[in-house]
Amino acid sequence: MHFIDTHAHLDDTSFISDRDAVIARAHAARVTRMISIGTGIKSNRTVLALTENYPSVYAALGLHPTNLLEEESDWIKKLRTLASHPKVVAIGEIGLDYHHIPLDTSPSFLKMWREQQLFALEQQLILAQELGLNVIIHQRDLSNSQKKELPSDSPLHHYNAWEDTLRIMNPYQGKVRGVFHCFGGTPEQAEHVIAQGHLISFTGIITFKNATLISETATRVEPGHYMIETDSPYLAPTPYRGQRAEPAYVCLVAQKIADLQGCSLQEVAISTTATAEKFFRFTR
């Protein structure tokens, strides 16, 4: 029995002092592969270096929507070059983020900000298709508390990352598959993206006491349609909540799913590993 952590940010500065020990603990916990996620050109280069230093670490490279305004205009050219590395198994994480609001909230700037995110997502879907890779999707909308604080005439009220993501991805059905990472939606939303050929992925959030919605989703999704991840160093599962997460904890996510589905940990390990191997084409 072994596990694959399909989403970790091993280039994060919180791992600088003990990255070797973190990788060793993952191996001890039977995590045989870890996918480290790039979020910008500098991050992507660091992630690639990690894959060369650690045989069990693979890369997903991309431009995260919250980093878009910081990159130079030729980022897609640089990303294409970096993504040709043999240990790159996906483009990601990419997507839309309307949760992290820019400082300039004028309607004209928000319109440009949203259009740039839509453009970047499509460019990276095109790149994924060119390279024969699947994608890791980030999509996040405003919280209810944010909406209450916004002026009533703010265009942000009309932005919907979920709907925009599905619309942009629709022409690529059958060409590029996506995994909706850190999935927190309803069972119906999960069913919708799965019906389009995509996957969802569960994090340590599923172990939280107040995670009733995602727990319900986990009880209904069938093997072969979901993967597991830590999103390290974020979202550490119970009993480590509030601390730094690391790939070794992915087995706790798997155990919670097994509890919810009334099956064994080994069954979850086998199914999620097989799903990840197929999605990231480890067997090619």
Side-chain angles (χ1 to χ4, degrees), residues 235-266:
L235 306 175
T238 304
Y240 302 103
R241 187 173 182 180
Q243 302 177 36
R244 183 191 69 176
E246 55 184 72
Y249 300 164
V250 77
C251 59
L252 298 174
V253 178
Q255 182 63 67
K256 182 61 177 183
I257 295 172
D259 295 341
L260 290 168
Q261 295 186 349
C263 63
S264 70
L265 176 61
Q266 182 171 1

Side-chain angles (χ1 to χ4, degrees), residues 2 28 36 44 72 87 99 123 129 147 170 221 226 253 276:
H2 60 276
S36 191
N44 290 334
E72 297 179 4
K87 289 195 78 176
H99 178 83
Q123 288 299 299
Q129 183 178 347
K147 292 177 181 178
N170 186 61
V221 65
Y226 70 93
V253 178

Side-chain angles (χ1 to χ4, degrees), residues 9-72:
H9 296 276
L10 293 174
D11 65 317
D12 190 86
T13 55
S14 66
F15 292 119
I16 289 177
S17 64
D18 66 341
R19 191 177 286 114
D20 287 350
V22 167
I23 301 297
R25 284 193 291 271
H27 294 163
R30 293 170 294 186
V31 180
T32 55
R33 289 190 181 107
M34 291 151 269
I35 300 175
S36 191
I37 310 299
T39 56
I41 299 304
K42 181 179 179 181
S43 169
N44 290 334
R45 291 186 174 125
T46 303
V47 166
L48 281 183
L50 293 178
T51 70
E52 294 172 352
N53 291 333
Y54 301 99
S56 60
V57 175
Y58 293 79
L61 305 185
L63 177 57
H64 193 284
T66 59
N67 294 332
L68 180 59
L69 297 177
E70 302 171 9
E71 290 292 349
E72 297 179 4

Side-chain angles (χ1 to χ4, degrees), residues 101 105-107 110 142 147 150-159:
I101 304 171
T105 58
S106 64
L110 289 175
L142 293 171
K147 292 177 181 178
L150 288 172
S152 58
D153 60 347
S154 172
L156 286 167
H157 286 293
H158 306 290
Y159 294 172

Side-chain angles (χ1 to χ4, degrees), residues 4-281:
I4 297 176
D5 184 358
T6 61
H7 195 113
H9 296 276
L10 293 174
D11 65 317
D12 190 86
T13 55
S14 66
F15 292 119
I16 289 177
S17 64
D18 66 341
R19 191 177 286 114
D20 287 350
V22 167
I23 301 297
R25 284 193 291 271
H27 294 163
R30 293 170 294 186
V31 180
T32 55
R33 289 190 181 107
M34 291 151 269
I35 300 175
S36 191
I37 310 299
T39 56
I41 299 304
K42 181 179 179 181
S43 169
N44 290 334
R45 291 186 174 125
T46 303
V47 166
L48 281 183
L50 293 178
T51 70
E52 294 172 352
N53 291 333
Y54 301 99
S56 60
V57 175
Y58 293 79
L61 305 185
L63 177 57
H64 193 284
T66 59
N67 294 332
L68 180 59
L69 297 177
E70 302 171 9
E71 290 292 349
E72 297 179 4
S73 59
D74 64 344
W75 63 266
I76 191 66
K77 179 180 178 180
K78 293 176 180 177
L79 177 58
R80 178 178 283 105
T81 300
L82 294 171
S84 64
H85 191 284
K87 289 195 78 176
V88 174
V89 295
I91 298 298
E93 67 187 277
I94 64 176
L96 304 174
D97 191 305
Y98 302 155
H99 178 83
H100 293 91
I101 304 171
L103 294 177
D104 187 344
T105 58
S106 64
S108 60
F109 186 86
L110 289 175
K111 182 175 183 292
M112 180 272 294
W113 169 73
R114 174 173 175 260
E115 288 177 348
Q116 282 194 345
Q117 289 196 44
L118 296 171
F119 176 78
L121 173 56
E122 183 149 28
Q123 288 299 299
Q124 291 178 96
L125 288 169
I126 292 170
L127 177 60
Q129 183 178 347
E130 288 177 3
L131 299 178
L133 298 170
N134 289 324
V135 297
I136 299 173
I137 296 295
H138 168 103
Q139 60 85 29
R140 192 173 183 187
D141 278 301
L142 293 171
S143 65
N144 289 330
S145 60
Q146 284 178 303
K147 292 177 181 178
K148 291 178 182 178
E149 295 174 359
L150 288 172
S152 58
D153 60 347
S154 172
L156 286 167
H157 286 293
H158 306 290
Y159 294 172
N160 187 304
W162 174 260
E163 293 180 357
D164 284 347
T165 300
L166 293 178
R167 176 173 54 83
I168 294 294
M169 293 183 70
N170 186 61
Y172 298 90
Q173 281 192 53
K175 303 172 184 176
V176 177
R177 298 181 71 199
V179 55
F180 283 68
H181 115 89
C182 192
F183 189 78
T186 65
E188 291 74 24
Q189 287 176 316
E191 291 169 1
H192 182 69
V193 297
I194 289 169
Q196 293 185 326
H198 305 305
L199 303 175
I200 63 173
S201 184
F202 297 111
T203 64
I205 291 175
I206 201 171
T207 69
F208 298 172
K209 289 182 179 179
N210 61 347
T212 53
L213 179 62
I214 195 61
S215 294
E216 181 185 354
T217 300
T219 61
R220 290 168 55 173
V221 65
E222 296 181 358
H225 294 152
Y226 70 93
M227 296 187 289
I228 53 176
E229 59 170 289
T230 60
D231 202 14
S232 301
Y234 314 108
L235 306 175
T238 304
Y240 302 103
R241 187 173 182 180
Q243 302 177 36
R244 183 191 69 176
E246 55 184 72
Y249 300 164
V250 77
C251 59
L252 298 174
V253 178
Q255 182 63 67
K256 182 61 177 183
I257 295 172
D259 295 341
L260 290 168
Q261 295 186 349
C263 63
S264 70
L265 176 61
Q266 182 171 1
E267 288 176 289
V268 175
I270 291 172
S271 68
T272 55
T273 296
T275 301
E277 287 177 341
K278 181 179 180 181
F279 182 84
F280 294 110
R281 302 190 175 105

